[in-house]
Amino acid sequence: MDLMGMMGKLKETQRKMEETKLRMDTVLIDEQSNDGALKVTFTANGKLKSIAIADSLLEDKEQLEDYLIVTLNKAIEKAAKVNQAELDAVAKVDMPMIPGMDEMFK
């Protein structure tokens, strides 16, 4: 086993992971309520970028709160899936095969 080669590969993978995390700040995830009255945009890193609320929702606080919870949760879930898929792809392609390490990336 080439320990120096593995260490270099690990450092390269770490660099690529950091680059991927930075790139995820530019990947936008859009989500909206079923009727389109509420729209949100997140980055794939889970940062909220924008919210658009139809005037009709401003008249009913409880409905607006419900819309926010459902729509924000859907957007956060989508963002997390995109982020994880990208990081998994980097890890699987670039990580050296070390016995037992494959379980860490599942």
Side-chain angles (χ1 to χ4, degrees):
M1 193 183 294
D2 176 18
L3 189 57
M4 292 306 287
M6 254 197 318
M7 292 303 291
K9 189 76 166 163
L10 285 170
K11 285 184 180 187
E12 177 66 14
T13 300
Q14 183 178 17
R15 184 189 62 75
K16 286 183 179 180
M17 294 284 268
E18 291 303 317
E19 287 174 359
T20 300
K21 287 177 185 178
L22 288 174
R23 188 171 50 81
M24 291 296 97
D25 279 333
T26 66
V27 175
L28 300 180
I29 309 296
D30 294 315
E31 186 60 61
Q32 65 180 6
S33 59
N34 290 337
D35 61 3
L38 177 70
K39 298 176 183 177
V40 298
T41 301
F42 274 81
T43 68
N45 278 334
K47 293 185 179 126
L48 181 62
K49 296 300 272 185
S50 69
I51 298 177
I53 302 171
D55 290 340
S56 61
L57 284 178
L58 297 176
E59 299 167 10
D60 186 342
K61 180 181 183 278
E62 211 170 282
Q63 183 182 17
L64 174 57
E65 289 169 346
D66 290 344
Y67 271 55
L68 283 167
I69 290 168
V70 170
T71 307
L72 289 171
N73 281 333
K74 286 194 307 188
I76 291 167
E77 186 177 322
K78 274 186 183 178
K81 284 180 181 177
V82 168
N83 187 292
Q84 191 61 51
E86 290 292 323
L87 292 175
D88 285 350
V90 170
K92 286 180 182 174
V93 168
D94 292 326
M95 284 297 293
M97 294 308 296
I98 301 171
M101 291 287 285
D102 57 336
E103 291 298 316
M104 289 179 59
F105 297 103
K106 289 185 178 179

